[in-house]
Amino acid sequence: MSEKPETRDAAAVPRQSGAGTAPAGREAKAPTGAADPIGVLIVDDHALFRRGLEMVLQGEDDIEVIGEGGDGQQAVEMAGDLLPDVVLMDIRMPRRSGIEACTAIKDAAPSAKIVMLTISDEEEDLFEAIKAGASGYLLKEISIDEVPQAVRAVHGGQSLISPSMASKLITEFASLAKRSEERTQQVPAPRLTEREMEVLRLVARGLGNREIARELFISENTVKNHVRNILEKLQLHSRMEAVVYAVREKLLEIT
C-alpha cells in the first residue's frame, strides 16, 4: 500500500524516507552564480534502497533529490508535478511497472532523463526500456558511489548501459542487421540529411551533445535540433532507439 505524500522542510533534520515523498522546494546547494543543481526523482519500492541513494546524492553539491516514490504510478504523478531533470527508477514495482511509467513520464515531463536502476538482466527488459525512452539501464550491482556520476552523464546527454547489458545490446544490433539483410522487401527508411547522418553516427559512438558539437564545429543547440529532427523523422523516442533503428535499416554498420 502506498503511503501518503509528505512535505519535507528544507531546514529539517534528516528523516527516514517514505514512498511518495516530495520536498517543498529545491534547496540552494550550488554556489552563488553556479547552475541550478540537477533535480533527481528516486522511484523504488524498497525504502532502504531509496534512502541509500538519497544519502549518496544529497552529498553532492550539484545534485538534489527533489522527490521519492514507491511505485510506477507515483513516479508518473510526481514527475508531472516536480519536473525532475533525472529519474532513477526500478522496473519491477507495484501498480505500474517502471517501463510503463517511463512512457508516461516522457509525456508528462519530456525533458526528464530516465535511468532504469534494476536487478533485471533480462534482454527483453533492456529493449523495452529503450523503446519506452529510457536514457540509461544500470544494474544494481554497480557501486552506489558511481550513481552521482551516472546522474551527471545522463543529464549531460549521454546514454548509459551496464557493461554486461551493453554486450547483449550489441548482439541484438548484429541480429537486427542480419535479419534486415534477409528481408526480401523493405519499406524505405525516412531520408536523413548528410549532417543528420553525421550526428547519428556520433550518437552511436556514445558522444554527448557537447562532444558532438565540438567534433562537427557547430553549436550545442544545433546538435540538439539535429537529434530532435532525427527522432521526429524516424518516429522514435530516444537516442538509443534511433541507433537500434539505424542498424536495423542499415543506415549504420557495426564494426
Side-chain angles (χ1 to χ4, degrees):
M1 181 181 297
S2 301
E3 302 175 24
K4 294 182 180 179
E6 61 186 42
T7 302
R8 180 192 303 173
D9 182 5
V13 296
R15 49 97 185 108
Q16 182 66 34
S17 301
T21 301
R26 297 193 181 187
E27 302 173 14
K29 296 184 67 176
T32 302
D36 291 336
I38 302 169
V40 177
L41 173 62
I42 300 173
V43 187
D44 195 290
D45 56 337
H46 292 91
L48 288 178
F49 186 75
R50 292 199 310 271
R51 181 56 174 161
L53 286 180
E54 180 188 20
M55 292 177 64
V56 169
L57 294 177
Q58 292 289 45
E60 304 293 323
D61 289 338
D62 60 336
I63 298 175
E64 180 180 5
V65 176
I66 61 173
E68 301 171 38
D71 59 60
Q73 185 59 38
Q74 284 187 337
V76 177
E77 295 168 356
M78 298 183 74
D81 291 337
L82 300 174
L83 300 179
D85 298 310
V86 175
V87 180
L88 297 177
M89 182 164 57
D90 197 2
I91 287 182
R92 305 278 190 264
M93 293 189 296
R95 293 212 291 169
R96 199 169 190 174
S97 74
I99 292 175
E100 292 173 341
C102 184
T103 302
I105 289 173
K106 296 303 289 185
D107 291 333
S111 64
K113 305 294 178 62
I114 302 172
V115 177
M116 296 300 184
L117 192 53
T118 176
I119 63 171
S120 174
D121 61 356
E122 297 181 15
E123 294 178 20
E124 183 177 357
D125 284 336
L126 170 63
F127 303 144
E128 289 301 316
I130 292 172
K131 287 170 59 179
S135 297
Y137 195 102
L138 300 177
L139 299 180
K140 287 183 176 179
E141 65 189 23
I142 70 168
S143 168
I144 198 167
D145 294 330
E146 296 178 47
V147 176
Q149 186 56 39
V151 168
R152 296 185 186 98
V154 170
H155 181 252
Q158 297 183 40
S159 297
L160 296 179
I161 300 180
S162 288
S164 60
M165 300 302 291
S167 62
K168 295 181 179 182
L169 189 60
I170 292 174
T171 300
E172 177 65 9
F173 281 172
S175 177
L176 285 171
K178 182 177 180 180
R179 287 200 299 269
S180 68
E181 291 176 357
E182 295 171 349
R183 287 184 299 181
T184 57
Q185 294 183 341
Q186 296 185 13
V187 177
R191 189 173 183 82
L192 300 180
T193 67
E194 184 177 346
R195 178 62 86 183
E196 288 167 350
M197 285 297 300
E198 289 179 325
V199 171
L200 184 54
R201 290 188 184 97
L202 294 176
V203 168
R205 285 169 47 191
L207 273 62
N209 289 343
R210 184 173 302 176
E211 295 168 306
I212 294 174
R214 190 179 303 117
E215 185 86 7
L216 298 179
F217 301 101
I218 57 179
S219 71
E220 193 170 345
N221 283 336
T222 300
V223 174
K224 292 178 181 178
N225 289 336
H226 283 313
V227 172
R228 184 177 63 250
N229 290 338
I230 291 169
L231 295 181
E232 287 178 354
K233 285 184 177 182
L234 302 181
Q235 297 184 341
L236 302 174
H237 301 94
S238 70
R239 298 160 72 101
M240 189 72 68
E241 192 176 353
V243 177
V244 174
Y245 180 95
V247 172
R248 186 184 68 207
E249 298 298 334
K250 296 196 289 187
L251 301 178
L252 296 176
E253 294 183 357
I254 299 177
T255 56

